[in-house]
Amino acid sequence: EAGVTQFPSHSVIEKGQTVTLRCDPISGHDNLYWYRRVMGKEIKFLLHFVKESKQDESGMPNNRFLAERTGGTYSTLKVQPAELEDSGVYFCASSPGGGGYEQYFGPGTRLTVT
Amino acid sequence: SQQGEEDPQALSIQEGENATMNCSYKTSINNLQWYRQNSGRGLVHLILIRSNEREKHSGRLRVTLDTSKKSSSLLITASRAADTASYFCATDARIKAAGNKLTFGGGTRVLVKP
């Protein structure tokens, strides 16, 4: 069974540009989460999808971040326009159910904004 | 301070020794999960322990949970060089029945010297 995959593995963009990150969850996992770790800080929750619906987006830092999960399969996270403080590693995770399930993480996308 | 704080922040041991790290949290939890991150890679799920469980084993890993003290420990027995990694605890901050976001601590960096 394939794990959670993320693309790209690394992205370097200039301040003000747009970047789109993609996450493919484990097949059949309805729950999809985005997290990020900025330099020197803890891994922080961004948002949670159940199928195509946003269940909780309380961790989204501001309206420069837009997440979608059309069709309830893969998800994208767009940052527009990117700022320096957006640099970090963005992780995606999926789980087969709701409460009490392990979350399986992807390898992450390292975003560098210069 | 943050939910899910690990102690110590860094740990250096010889191969064959045991490694113990602790995690403290503040709020009531549904479950607590431990993850490992090797350098530059994604998070690997190690163990999930539920709030009604006190101890759990998986291979050379032993996790305890004390909900009265809001703390958990991860013990790695007979450590190997391959155990060198960062270890994170994450608490299930249950908000809605349909799914849980994880709240991570800063992690413990473990170095196992050959």
Side-chain angles (χ1 to χ4, degrees), chain A residues 33-51:
Chain A
Y33 305 80
W34 284 97
Y35 296 84
R36 75 171 180 178
R37 188 179 193 190
V38 297
M39 186 65 70
K41 300 288 183 65
E42 292 88 4
I43 300 167
K44 294 282 193 181
F45 167 82
L46 295 178
L47 87 159
H48 168 213
F49 284 98
V50 177
K51 296 184 180 178

Side-chain angles (χ1 to χ4, degrees), chain B residues 13-83:
Chain B
I13 57 175
Q14 291 294 137
E15 202 165 27
E17 292 181 339
N18 295 342
T20 300
M21 60 210 85
N22 304 295
C23 169
S24 60
Y25 57 91
K26 295 186 179 297
T27 64
S28 295
I29 61 170
N30 191 32
N31 63 64
L32 185 147
Q33 305 184 32
W34 284 92
Y35 288 84
R36 182 186 73 226
Q37 184 183 28
N38 293 88
S39 179
R41 300 195 176 184
L43 294 162
V44 175
H45 187 272
L46 297 177
I47 289 184
L48 179 152
I49 186 165
R50 303 185 192 284
S51 59
N52 61 351
E53 297 176 312
R54 292 296 167 259
E55 188 170 312
K56 208 160 183 180
H57 298 256
S58 176
R60 295 183 295 110
L61 305 180
R62 172 177 169 256
V63 167
T64 63
L65 179 65
D66 187 334
T67 53
S68 67
K69 295 181 179 178
K70 291 187 168 58
S71 68
S72 174
S73 68
L74 170 66
L75 167 68
I76 306 172
T77 60
S79 64
R80 305 168 181 168
D83 295 328

Side-chain angles (χ1 to χ4, degrees), chain A residues 31 33 35 37 41-45 48 50 55-56 58-59 89 91 97-108 110, chain B residues 2 30-31 33 35 37 40-45 48 50 88 92 94-107:
Chain A
N31 290 266
Y33 305 80
Y35 296 84
R37 188 179 193 190
K41 300 288 183 65
E42 292 88 4
I43 300 167
K44 294 282 193 181
F45 167 82
H48 168 213
V50 177
Q55 190 71 24
D56 179 359
S58 61
V89 181
F91 292 102
Y101 283 83
E102 295 90 342
Q103 293 184 21
Y104 298 91
F105 280 75
R110 180 172 296 278
Chain B
Q2 299 292 322
N30 191 32
N31 63 64
Q33 305 184 32
Y35 288 84
Q37 184 183 28
R41 300 195 176 184
L43 294 162
V44 175
H45 187 272
L48 179 152
R50 303 185 192 284
F88 298 88
D92 177 341
R94 184 167 189 166
I95 296 177
K96 297 178 181 179
N100 307 332
K101 70 179 186 183
L102 296 177
T103 303
F104 284 82

Side-chain angles (χ1 to χ4, degrees), chain A residues 7 14 46 54 65 74:
Chain A
F7 181 83
E14 293 183 352
L46 295 178
K54 292 177 185 175
F65 290 74
Y74 70 91

